Amino acid sequence: MSSAFAGLARLTTSYRVRIYPIKAVTSFRRLASMGALATQTVDTTKRLEALRSLMSSSEHNVTAMVIPSEDQHMSEYIAACDERRAYISGFNGSAGTVIVTLKDAFLFTDGRYFLQAEKQLDSNWTLMKSGLPDVPTWQEFLSKNLEKHSRIGIDPTLITAADAESLETSLKAKESHLVSLTDNLVDFIWEDRPPRPANKVFPLDVKYSGESHQDKLKRLREELNKKPYKAMVVNMLDEVAWLFNLRGSDIDFNPVFFAYAVVTHDNSLLFVNTSQVDDVVRTHLGDPVQIKPYDEFFPYLRGLGGEVDLSDELQVLVGDKCNLAIVEAIGRERITILRSPIADFKAIKNETEIEGFRQCHIRDGAALTRYFAWLEEQLNSGTQLNESQAADKLEEFRSELDLFRGLSFTTISSTGPNGAVIHYSPDPADCSIIQKEQIYLCDSGAQFLDGTTDVTRTWHFGNPTDEEKRAFTRVLQGHIAIDTAIFPNGTTGYIIDSWARRPLWEDGLDYRHGTGHGVGHFLNVHEGPQGIGVRIAYNSTALKSGMTVSNEPGYYADGRFGIRIENIVIVRDAQTPNNFGNKGYLKFEHVTLSPIHKKLIDASLLTAAERSWLDAYHAEVLDKVSPLLKNDTRALAWLERECSPL
């Protein structure tokens, strides 16, 4: 065991995996996940008092606790039973880390959530605005701001091995160290904690996936042979689902299920709550895939070395997002930590998946058209609708579409100042009435058997101001710059991010989120490793033909309005007159089909090329979506009007 892990020896021998009772739930719950439930503030005084009592007890004796957002699978979006950070802090945005000391409490989150956190945190908390000057990361805070000889409690299933190792190194200067806790202390104080979902798992037919799970396993084994590795542990839920062509509904909006997998050269093992697996799934997987109970995963890992004859040269591959408990169960000296090859396989869609993306976005475009036409009619007639009622109507239109399986995240339906809260979503019990004379921002998406959608449109059903029109036009110009980009193979999203911001920068404007994220195929709406943004991690993955990514620049005037325009695009090979360096060149193919609001455009700012792009895009939307609206004359007339040339 390396010195970086010296303080963590207790972790897996006594760690208990809990299986909770089955709870009947709908496929995808609307009131959670990506969007934030508006602005409620929770009184966390008693929760923090109870937690600190446990921290200071002789049994645990820790001076600080780290409470991250993720679950034991390092999921970005998690089941309600794993929302420990939200429970202890009252902040329910999707990203953030909490540090609780015996006296203070800190929440670290990024620019997407500053406004939301300010509204949701009570007086017990200090908001640490990650990314701003002089604000440390939570990791830096532990090593620089805590007192010497601090004992920092962690749940080893909720922290990556890489983070733990770097933290232990950085803490040495303060003679502090991490303390691995057998049980998560938040669980002890969490009253009425929801049970862990255990919904039925189902196969995804190869007519949608485009590749059998047998062929995917063969590809993975070929990758293992290159080093060579004796086995791979798969802990990310979307990677398990993709590898075996299975889907589930254990996490709202994400068609995944709780499971681990271990793939050796001879065996494939799937660790899952066996009550979730029926004969259809067993037949789909076939005899070569062994199904094991979920709670046998860690005991199996502790015996893996003997089963596959591990050594310093013949190791187990784990992804860089695996939790510390996995690494310690196998033994650090027997582990190689790298970016998961499954993440790279999954990121590049095959032609069946790409065609699925095209088709589901056409259908999705029809639902969006019906919705925006309906919403405009309601507002023009004087009907009062709140943001939640409008979101429900959009979900109703989507639910009527072929192959629909649920939403891909909570609909962000926001009017006026709420649009400036980047990941806002309305609370049905307390949300705003949509105002005709305010900007309306709607970010929404759906899960279909043949793909996943994510689209943002910004509308104004009254008379927009010159400021609003100019800002919208700058966002549109950035959107067009990405859509029309041509770049050589080897280019990353980190490099091209500034192309989307340049028009905004000309006016001294910007936005505090990435320009684009990867999108799964009937999987998580956020998918890596590719993306477009200023995060340095995006510079480690070149964009490749077949990758999907969003194109979503925006601008947010705090307290007044928000603007975002988002399409999903697919990286494709580009034919160029020349091929300098023999690199080959790439471009984007957009698949989202929904009008961009012309009323918000200041046409005097657009170049001739930008005007041509907009007219061509609208002609494409009309051509592909209108055949699905033959039985809805209102929506068809609205679409024809909105898609007319600028």
Side-chain angles (χ1 to χ4, degrees), residues 618-638:
H618 280 150
E620 179 186 3
V621 172
L622 182 62
D623 177 62
K624 292 181 177 179
V625 175
S626 60
L628 279 64
L629 299 172
K630 293 178 179 177
N631 296 323
D632 191 333
T633 55
R634 173 186 61 191
L636 183 57
W638 181 92

PDB file of all heavy atoms in Angstrom, residues 618-638:
ATOM      1  N   HIS A 618     -33.983  27.031 -40.632  1.00  0.00           N
ATOM      2  CA  HIS A 618     -35.438  27.049 -40.512  1.00  0.00           C
ATOM      3  C   HIS A 618     -36.109  26.288 -41.654  1.00  0.00           C
ATOM      4  O   HIS A 618     -37.136  25.621 -41.441  1.00  0.00           O
ATOM      5  CB  HIS A 618     -35.943  28.488 -40.449  1.00  0.00           C
ATOM      6  CG  HIS A 618     -35.809  29.094 -39.088  1.00  0.00           C
ATOM      7  ND1 HIS A 618     -35.610  30.441 -38.876  1.00  0.00           N
ATOM      8  CD2 HIS A 618     -35.821  28.535 -37.851  1.00  0.00           C
ATOM      9  CE1 HIS A 618     -35.528  30.672 -37.574  1.00  0.00           C
ATOM     10  NE2 HIS A 618     -35.646  29.537 -36.942  1.00  0.00           N
ATOM     11  N   ALA A 619     -35.537  26.359 -42.839  1.00  0.00           N
ATOM     12  CA  ALA A 619     -36.087  25.581 -43.960  1.00  0.00           C
ATOM     13  C   ALA A 619     -35.977  24.086 -43.668  1.00  0.00           C
ATOM     14  O   ALA A 619     -36.893  23.310 -43.976  1.00  0.00           O
ATOM     15  CB  ALA A 619     -35.350  25.938 -45.250  1.00  0.00           C
ATOM     16  N   GLU A 620     -34.872  23.684 -43.056  1.00  0.00           N
ATOM     17  CA  GLU A 620     -34.681  22.271 -42.696  1.00  0.00           C
ATOM     18  C   GLU A 620     -35.685  21.846 -41.623  1.00  0.00           C
ATOM     19  O   GLU A 620     -36.272  20.759 -41.699  1.00  0.00           O
ATOM     20  CB  GLU A 620     -33.251  22.049 -42.202  1.00  0.00           C
ATOM     21  CG  GLU A 620     -32.967  20.615 -41.789  1.00  0.00           C
ATOM     22  CD  GLU A 620     -31.595  20.444 -41.175  1.00  0.00           C
ATOM     23  OE1 GLU A 620     -30.862  21.449 -41.013  1.00  0.00           O
ATOM     24  OE2 GLU A 620     -31.253  19.299 -40.814  1.00  0.00           O
ATOM     25  N   VAL A 621     -35.875  22.688 -40.619  1.00  0.00           N
ATOM     26  CA  VAL A 621     -36.843  22.378 -39.567  1.00  0.00           C
ATOM     27  C   VAL A 621     -38.229  22.193 -40.162  1.00  0.00           C
ATOM     28  O   VAL A 621     -38.933  21.212 -39.862  1.00  0.00           O
ATOM     29  CB  VAL A 621     -36.857  23.495 -38.497  1.00  0.00           C
ATOM     30  CG1 VAL A 621     -38.008  23.276 -37.507  1.00  0.00           C
ATOM     31  CG2 VAL A 621     -35.530  23.552 -37.759  1.00  0.00           C
ATOM     32  N   LEU A 622     -38.638  23.118 -41.014  1.00  0.00           N
ATOM     33  CA  LEU A 622     -39.965  23.045 -41.620  1.00  0.00           C
ATOM     34  C   LEU A 622     -40.110  21.787 -42.463  1.00  0.00           C
ATOM     35  O   LEU A 622     -41.136  21.080 -42.393  1.00  0.00           O
ATOM     36  CB  LEU A 622     -40.210  24.287 -42.471  1.00  0.00           C
ATOM     37  CG  LEU A 622     -41.589  24.383 -43.135  1.00  0.00           C
ATOM     38  CD1 LEU A 622     -42.692  24.432 -42.085  1.00  0.00           C
ATOM     39  CD2 LEU A 622     -41.652  25.609 -44.047  1.00  0.00           C
ATOM     40  N   ASP A 623     -39.086  21.474 -43.243  1.00  0.00           N
ATOM     41  CA  ASP A 623     -39.145  20.310 -44.132  1.00  0.00           C
ATOM     42  C   ASP A 623     -39.274  19.006 -43.354  1.00  0.00           C
ATOM     43  O   ASP A 623     -40.048  18.119 -43.736  1.00  0.00           O
ATOM     44  CB  ASP A 623     -37.892  20.285 -45.009  1.00  0.00           C
ATOM     45  CG  ASP A 623     -37.848  19.062 -45.914  1.00  0.00           C
ATOM     46  OD1 ASP A 623     -38.750  18.926 -46.766  1.00  0.00           O
ATOM     47  OD2 ASP A 623     -36.916  18.240 -45.759  1.00  0.00           O
ATOM     48  N   LYS A 624     -38.545  18.878 -42.243  1.00  0.00           N
ATOM     49  CA  LYS A 624     -38.495  17.596 -41.532  1.00  0.00           C
ATOM     50  C   LYS A 624     -39.591  17.444 -40.482  1.00  0.00           C
ATOM     51  O   LYS A 624     -40.046  16.324 -40.219  1.00  0.00           O
ATOM     52  CB  LYS A 624     -37.121  17.423 -40.881  1.00  0.00           C
ATOM     53  CG  LYS A 624     -35.998  17.242 -41.897  1.00  0.00           C
ATOM     54  CD  LYS A 624     -34.646  17.056 -41.226  1.00  0.00           C
ATOM     55  CE  LYS A 624     -33.554  16.804 -42.269  1.00  0.00           C
ATOM     56  NZ  LYS A 624     -32.208  16.654 -41.642  1.00  0.00           N
ATOM     57  N   VAL A 625     -40.017  18.543 -39.884  1.00  0.00           N
ATOM     58  CA  VAL A 625     -40.979  18.447 -38.787  1.00  0.00           C
ATOM     59  C   VAL A 625     -42.421  18.560 -39.272  1.00  0.00           C
ATOM     60  O   VAL A 625     -43.320  17.914 -38.723  1.00  0.00           O
ATOM     61  CB  VAL A 625     -40.680  19.524 -37.723  1.00  0.00           C
ATOM     62  CG1 VAL A 625     -41.748  19.528 -36.630  1.00  0.00           C
ATOM     63  CG2 VAL A 625     -39.299  19.283 -37.101  1.00  0.00           C
ATOM     64  N   SER A 626     -42.670  19.347 -40.306  1.00  0.00           N
ATOM     65  CA  SER A 626     -44.050  19.610 -40.725  1.00  0.00           C
ATOM     66  C   SER A 626     -44.837  18.349 -41.085  1.00  0.00           C
ATOM     67  O   SER A 626     -46.049  18.296 -40.802  1.00  0.00           O
ATOM     68  CB  SER A 626     -44.081  20.608 -41.886  1.00  0.00           C
ATOM     69  OG  SER A 626     -43.367  20.132 -43.005  1.00  0.00           O
ATOM     70  N   PRO A 627     -44.227  17.300 -41.689  1.00  0.00           N
ATOM     71  CA  PRO A 627     -45.033  16.104 -41.985  1.00  0.00           C
ATOM     72  C   PRO A 627     -45.647  15.455 -40.752  1.00  0.00           C
ATOM     73  O   PRO A 627     -46.650  14.742 -40.858  1.00  0.00           O
ATOM     74  CB  PRO A 627     -44.020  15.167 -42.660  1.00  0.00           C
ATOM     75  CG  PRO A 627     -43.002  16.074 -43.263  1.00  0.00           C
ATOM     76  CD  PRO A 627     -42.875  17.201 -42.280  1.00  0.00           C
ATOM     77  N   LEU A 628     -45.090  15.706 -39.563  1.00  0.00           N
ATOM     78  CA  LEU A 628     -45.624  15.109 -38.343  1.00  0.00           C
ATOM     79  C   LEU A 628     -46.750  15.943 -37.739  1.00  0.00           C
ATOM     80  O   LEU A 628     -47.334  15.557 -36.719  1.00  0.00           O
ATOM     81  CB  LEU A 628     -44.514  14.935 -37.299  1.00  0.00           C
ATOM     82  CG  LEU A 628     -43.601  13.715 -37.431  1.00  0.00           C
ATOM     83  CD1 LEU A 628     -42.786  13.753 -38.711  1.00  0.00           C
ATOM     84  CD2 LEU A 628     -42.680  13.593 -36.224  1.00  0.00           C
ATOM     85  N   LEU A 629     -47.068  17.076 -38.364  1.00  0.00           N
ATOM     86  CA  LEU A 629     -48.059  17.989 -37.805  1.00  0.00           C
ATOM     87  C   LEU A 629     -49.294  18.122 -38.686  1.00  0.00           C
ATOM     88  O   LEU A 629     -50.055  19.086 -38.559  1.00  0.00           O
ATOM     89  CB  LEU A 629     -47.425  19.376 -37.598  1.00  0.00           C
ATOM     90  CG  LEU A 629     -46.236  19.421 -36.635  1.00  0.00           C
ATOM     91  CD1 LEU A 629     -45.584  20.802 -36.674  1.00  0.00           C
ATOM     92  CD2 LEU A 629     -46.660  19.078 -35.207  1.00  0.00           C
ATOM     93  N   LYS A 630     -49.506  17.163 -39.551  1.00  0.00           N
ATOM     94  CA  LYS A 630     -50.634  17.253 -40.479  1.00  0.00           C
ATOM     95  C   LYS A 630     -51.976  17.306 -39.760  1.00  0.00           C
ATOM     96  O   LYS A 630     -52.955  17.852 -40.290  1.00  0.00           O
ATOM     97  CB  LYS A 630     -50.598  16.074 -41.446  1.00  0.00           C
ATOM     98  CG  LYS A 630     -49.413  16.112 -42.404  1.00  0.00           C
ATOM     99  CD  LYS A 630     -49.392  14.901 -43.319  1.00  0.00           C
ATOM    100  CE  LYS A 630     -48.217  14.956 -44.279  1.00  0.00           C
ATOM    101  NZ  LYS A 630     -48.130  13.755 -45.154  1.00  0.00           N
ATOM    102  N   ASN A 631     -52.037  16.743 -38.554  1.00  0.00           N
ATOM    103  CA  ASN A 631     -53.300  16.716 -37.813  1.00  0.00           C
ATOM    104  C   ASN A 631     -53.392  17.821 -36.762  1.00  0.00           C
ATOM    105  O   ASN A 631     -54.292  17.813 -35.925  1.00  0.00           O
ATOM    106  CB  ASN A 631     -53.478  15.354 -37.135  1.00  0.00           C
ATOM    107  CG  ASN A 631     -53.595  14.223 -38.137  1.00  0.00           C
ATOM    108  OD1 ASN A 631     -54.194  14.385 -39.198  1.00  0.00           O
ATOM    109  ND2 ASN A 631     -53.006  13.077 -37.812  1.00  0.00           N
ATOM    110  N   ASP A 632     -52.457  18.756 -36.799  1.00  0.00           N
ATOM    111  CA  ASP A 632     -52.478  19.868 -35.851  1.00  0.00           C
ATOM    112  C   ASP A 632     -52.268  21.157 -36.641  1.00  0.00           C
ATOM    113  O   ASP A 632     -51.159  21.644 -36.812  1.00  0.00           O
ATOM    114  CB  ASP A 632     -51.379  19.700 -34.803  1.00  0.00           C
ATOM    115  CG  ASP A 632     -51.511  20.685 -33.641  1.00  0.00           C
ATOM    116  OD1 ASP A 632     -52.078  21.767 -33.849  1.00  0.00           O
ATOM    117  OD2 ASP A 632     -51.029  20.376 -32.531  1.00  0.00           O
ATOM    118  N   THR A 633     -53.349  21.719 -37.141  1.00  0.00           N
ATOM    119  CA  THR A 633     -53.258  22.889 -38.019  1.00  0.00           C
ATOM    120  C   THR A 633     -52.691  24.103 -37.296  1.00  0.00           C
ATOM    121  O   THR A 633     -51.978  24.911 -37.892  1.00  0.00           O
ATOM    122  CB  THR A 633     -54.645  23.232 -38.592  1.00  0.00           C
ATOM    123  OG1 THR A 633     -55.572  23.402 -37.510  1.00  0.00           O
ATOM    124  CG2 THR A 633     -55.142  22.107 -39.503  1.00  0.00           C
ATOM    125  N   ARG A 634     -53.020  24.249 -36.001  1.00  0.00           N
ATOM    126  CA  ARG A 634     -52.474  25.376 -35.239  1.00  0.00           C
ATOM    127  C   ARG A 634     -50.955  25.295 -35.184  1.00  0.00           C
ATOM    128  O   ARG A 634     -50.253  26.279 -35.466  1.00  0.00           O
ATOM    129  CB  ARG A 634     -53.036  25.362 -33.819  1.00  0.00           C
ATOM    130  CG  ARG A 634     -52.395  26.400 -32.888  1.00  0.00           C
ATOM    131  CD  ARG A 634     -52.877  26.239 -31.449  1.00  0.00           C
ATOM    132  NE  ARG A 634     -52.539  24.926 -30.916  1.00  0.00           N
ATOM    133  CZ  ARG A 634     -53.017  24.443 -29.771  1.00  0.00           C
ATOM    134  NH1 ARG A 634     -53.875  25.149 -29.076  1.00  0.00           N
ATOM    135  NH2 ARG A 634     -52.657  23.248 -29.341  1.00  0.00           N
ATOM    136  N   ALA A 635     -50.419  24.132 -34.821  1.00  0.00           N
ATOM    137  CA  ALA A 635     -48.972  23.971 -34.701  1.00  0.00           C
ATOM    138  C   ALA A 635     -48.293  24.120 -36.054  1.00  0.00           C
ATOM    139  O   ALA A 635     -47.213  24.729 -36.152  1.00  0.00           O
ATOM    140  CB  ALA A 635     -48.644  22.611 -34.098  1.00  0.00           C
ATOM    141  N   LEU A 636     -48.912  23.595 -37.106  1.00  0.00           N
ATOM    142  CA  LEU A 636     -48.316  23.683 -38.436  1.00  0.00           C
ATOM    143  C   LEU A 636     -48.256  25.136 -38.896  1.00  0.00           C
ATOM    144  O   LEU A 636     -47.225  25.585 -39.446  1.00  0.00           O
ATOM    145  CB  LEU A 636     -49.106  22.840 -39.428  1.00  0.00           C
ATOM    146  CG  LEU A 636     -48.552  22.793 -40.854  1.00  0.00           C
ATOM    147  CD1 LEU A 636     -47.117  22.285 -40.878  1.00  0.00           C
ATOM    148  CD2 LEU A 636     -49.449  21.929 -41.746  1.00  0.00           C
ATOM    149  N   ALA A 637     -49.321  25.882 -38.675  1.00  0.00           N
ATOM    150  CA  ALA A 637     -49.318  27.301 -39.066  1.00  0.00           C
ATOM    151  C   ALA A 637     -48.263  28.076 -38.273  1.00  0.00           C
ATOM    152  O   ALA A 637     -47.566  28.948 -38.818  1.00  0.00           O
ATOM    153  CB  ALA A 637     -50.703  27.901 -38.847  1.00  0.00           C
ATOM    154  N   TRP A 638     -48.133  27.761 -37.003  1.00  0.00           N
ATOM    155  CA  TRP A 638     -47.121  28.414 -36.165  1.00  0.00           C
ATOM    156  C   TRP A 638     -45.721  28.102 -36.689  1.00  0.00           C
ATOM    157  O   TRP A 638     -44.876  28.999 -36.802  1.00  0.00           O
ATOM    158  CB  TRP A 638     -47.277  27.942 -34.724  1.00  0.00           C
ATOM    159  CG  TRP A 638     -46.324  28.552 -33.751  1.00  0.00           C
ATOM    160  CD1 TRP A 638     -46.516  29.668 -32.995  1.00  0.00           C
ATOM    161  CD2 TRP A 638     -45.017  28.068 -33.416  1.00  0.00           C
ATOM    162  NE1 TRP A 638     -45.424  29.922 -32.209  1.00  0.00           N
ATOM    163  CE2 TRP A 638     -44.476  28.955 -32.448  1.00  0.00           C
ATOM    164  CE3 TRP A 638     -44.248  26.987 -33.830  1.00  0.00           C
ATOM    165  CZ2 TRP A 638     -43.212  28.782 -31.894  1.00  0.00           C
ATOM    166  CZ3 TRP A 638     -42.983  26.806 -33.284  1.00  0.00           C
ATOM    167  CH2 TRP A 638     -42.476  27.697 -32.332  1.00  0.00           C
TER     168      TRP A 638
END
